[in-house]
Amino acid sequence: MHDLIVIGAGPGGYEAAAHAGELGKRVQLVEAGSLGGACLNVGCIPAKVFLRSSRLYRECTEAGPFGVRVAGASFDVPVVVERKNRIVAALKRGVEAKLKGAGVEVVIGRARLVDRHLVQVGDDRLEAENVLIATGSRPAVPPIPGIGAEHVLDSDRVFDVAEVPSSIAIIGGGYIGLELATYFREAGAEVAVFEMLPQIAANCDREVSAKLLQALQRSGIEFHLSCRVLSVEEGVLRYDDGSGTERTHAAERILNATGRAPVVAGLGLDEVGIDFSLAGVRISDRGETSVPGLWACGDVTGRHMLAHAATREGIVAVNSMFGIPDRIRYEAIPAVIYTHPEVAMAGRTEAELTRAGIPFRKATVPMGVAGRFLIENEGGSGFVKVLVGARGGEILGVHAVGDSSSEFIVAASALIETALTARQAAEVVFPHPTVSEALREAILKVG
Ligand code: FAD
């Protein structure tokens, strides 16, 4: 009997398996697809490879103010796809090496729970004291006629498309839709985004979301907000523009970016009596499901649906199952949208604090207070907002829009995780010149 079977080798599952292996436990990791999960194969990494190339291409065409003239720049998608494949392969070798180093046995196949200690993979039955469900998520398919058709792209298939379409309509203005809209626009396509809500990136701070919308519109992306897509046919999208008027929009390609759905089907969850719904497997903050010995982490729980959250949840679950005290502070988990400009956040938004009845103070400073931001971003703009408790001054939230914010948001997470006040945080020395100095200025201003 093993100590642990992990189902799913995404950033939740493989990191948890490696951690348990490093603790000296006997671990099996079952994967039906490819090591690294959605994040490595069709998510975080491919998206950022694509965005790196599209940004470089745009920068070539906008390098004049930096004193650099680039003539004849062109965008070669097959080379971008090939580079993506190379980077994914290199990172996958890293995952393999990590698992091997930790003594984890990798089993290739589709797993199904038979009971709380037994997992069926093909003809084999695996047995363990604990099972960690880390089966992740897949692209959601909302009930819109035609959206599941072969010609409609989703995030699983978009990274293998070897050309830039002349035009693309993207259904969904969440982070996946927005990152892909940025890529396609910079790569030269006409891009239109259709979003049901009145704002894009709905989980963000309102002002951040408005600023992002303005910047993306300025880059040439067309937005249709508060609208409902009614049906999709090849090359045509039919939608209600929010006023009850039905309209059509023609585009060479259509992309479904309406979010992700936890993978809960075909796993035997009903049979073992776990509390779950289509929204995910319910877990405690230690990763326990409703059935003792069965644990879950990552996208399958439908909680945070980010790679680094999946990893932390997996490690907390492993520590908890083997009696090592640990807990996750959800409020400190950072999130980034890798659009151009980037958005980064940690902690709570003004709306969340207001809903919770928590009094707060805030300060906002433009990114341009940091010399490095002006150096790096000719004509760019953005801001950092810091929210602190009205009385104690403890840092409750940091929200930023502007390039390089992805690189300093971890500092904000650390301040929230360690419950520092703005006054204490003001003693931290920020390196000069870095864009992070905008965060320092906001901390000083909020006092
Ligand atoms: P997954 O990565 O989905 O892995 C689950 C694994 O389980 C898969 O490999 C699957 O094959 C396997 N599996 C499923 N069922 C079974 C079974 N029955 N038996 C065996 N194996 C099974 N997150 C970020 O934090 N930052 C980003 O920048 C970011 N960008 C993204 C961009 C895109 C386009 C997309 C689509 C997602 C992005 N995400 C990002 C989200 C991130 O990919 C997920 O949050 C992360 O992959 C979740 O990890 P996981 O381990 O829970 O599941």
Side-chain angles (χ1 to χ4, degrees):
M1 164 121 61
H2 282 74
D3 297 305
L4 170 64
I5 295 168
V6 180
I7 307 177
Y14 82 73
E15 291 274 8
H19 180 60
E22 280 155 10
L23 291 175
K25 306 297 175 188
R26 280 168 38 86
V27 187
Q28 287 179 312
L29 171 64
V30 188
E31 171 55 53
S34 217
L35 286 184
C39 173
L40 181 49
N41 296 288
V42 288
C44 325
I45 300 299
K48 273 81 240 180
V49 175
F50 273 40
L51 283 162
R52 177 69 187 102
S53 286
S54 68
R55 167 184 223 118
L56 188 55
Y57 181 45
R58 176 174 57 81
E59 285 177 344
C60 286
T61 62
E62 294 174 0
F66 291 83
V68 180
R69 309 245 173 264
V70 182
S74 63
F75 198 73
D76 191 337
V77 188
V79 174
V80 178
V81 173
E82 196 276 325
R83 178 166 187 265
K84 179 265 293 180
N85 292 341
R86 242 184 313 120
I87 290 172
V88 169
L91 291 171
K92 207 171 293 183
R93 284 195 296 277
V95 174
E96 279 164 4
K98 184 169 195 161
L99 292 169
K100 194 167 171 213
V104 174
E105 182 191 335
V106 176
V107 178
I108 299 299
R110 188 160 293 280
R112 185 183 172 87
L113 287 159
V114 179
D115 71 29
R116 65 174 69 173
H117 299 297
L118 275 183
V119 173
Q120 187 82 35
V121 184
D123 295 334
D124 296 327
R125 279 210 167 171
L126 316 179
E127 194 176 4
E129 230 14 91
N130 297 280
V131 177
L132 176 66
I133 302 162
T135 51
S137 63
R138 57 173 140 65
V141 185
I144 298 172
I147 202 166
E150 187 60 26
H151 59 84
V152 178
L153 291 171
D154 63 20
S155 60
D156 276 358
R157 289 187 291 130
V158 72
F159 299 113
D160 287 321
V161 174
E163 61 197 6
V164 177
S166 58
S167 58
I168 185 160
I170 299 179
I171 309 173
Y175 80 93
I176 295 174
L178 295 175
E179 288 185 8
L180 289 169
T182 301
Y183 163 73
F184 279 113
R185 182 67 200 131
E186 289 181 330
E190 292 296 322
V191 180
V193 174
F194 295 80
E195 168 58 50
M196 206 166 67
L197 298 171
Q199 71 175 105
I200 58 169
N203 294 335
C204 290
D205 172 271
R206 283 292 156 98
E207 287 173 295
V208 166
S209 154
K211 180 82 186 170
L212 178 64
L213 177 67
Q214 191 191 54
L216 295 181
Q217 279 173 327
R218 201 170 293 148
S219 76
I221 299 172
E222 182 182 309
F223 282 91
H224 300 266
L225 302 180
S226 303
C227 80
R228 203 159 52 87
V229 174
L230 302 170
S231 69
V232 176
E233 285 157 36
E234 191 149 7
V236 183
L237 189 143
R238 211 160 51 79
Y239 66 102
D240 177 331
D241 70 359
S243 69
T245 308
E246 225 175 276
R247 297 182 185 278
T248 56
H249 178 92
E252 187 186 333
R253 297 306 303 254
I254 292 171
L255 171 71
N256 168 22
T258 51
R260 298 188 57 84
V263 173
V264 289
L267 276 174
L269 299 183
D270 268 327
E271 289 84 333
V272 292
I274 278 193
D275 185 9
F276 79 103
S277 70
L278 292 180
V281 174
R282 269 181 274 282
I283 55 166
S284 72
D285 280 0
R286 296 179 344 129
E288 302 156 297
T289 70
S290 57
V291 177
L294 293 182
W295 307 74
C297 71
D299 281 15
V300 71
T301 69
R303 273 192 157 188
H304 236 67
M305 299 189 97
L306 288 172
H308 44 279
T311 296
R312 182 74 187 120
E313 284 179 342
I315 285 171
V316 169
V318 166
N319 284 339
S320 301
M321 69 183 74
F322 297 121
I324 302 166
D326 200 359
R327 74 182 175 100
I328 186 163
R329 293 168 193 81
Y330 279 99
E331 67 279 8
I333 295 176
V336 173
I337 306 178
Y338 295 83
T339 40
H340 303 147
E342 290 177 349
V343 164
M345 64 207 115
R348 291 195 263 186
T349 60
E350 289 188 52
E352 285 166 347
L353 291 171
T354 305
R355 265 199 306 276
I358 300 171
F360 62 93
R361 290 184 281 118
K362 64 176 174 178
T364 303
V365 301
M367 283 281 196
V369 298
R372 182 71 181 275
F373 185 80
L374 296 181
I375 295 166
E376 299 286 331
N377 301 280
E378 182 65 30
S381 64
F383 62 81
V384 184
K385 181 192 282 187
V386 174
L387 309 174
V388 299
R391 259 162 264 131
E394 67 282 12
I395 296 174
L396 298 173
V398 174
H399 304 274
V401 55
D403 281 341
S404 299
S405 53
S406 64
E407 293 297 340
F408 68 67
I409 199 65
V410 67
S413 290
L415 300 177
I416 296 169
E417 179 93 26
T418 50
L420 284 199
T421 64
R423 226 171 254 173
Q424 290 167 322
E427 293 173 18
V428 175
V429 179
F430 285 67
H432 175 76
T434 58
V435 180
S436 72
E437 286 171 292
L439 171 60
R440 177 176 174 272
E441 290 299 321
I443 289 169
L444 291 177
K445 190 172 170 190
V446 82

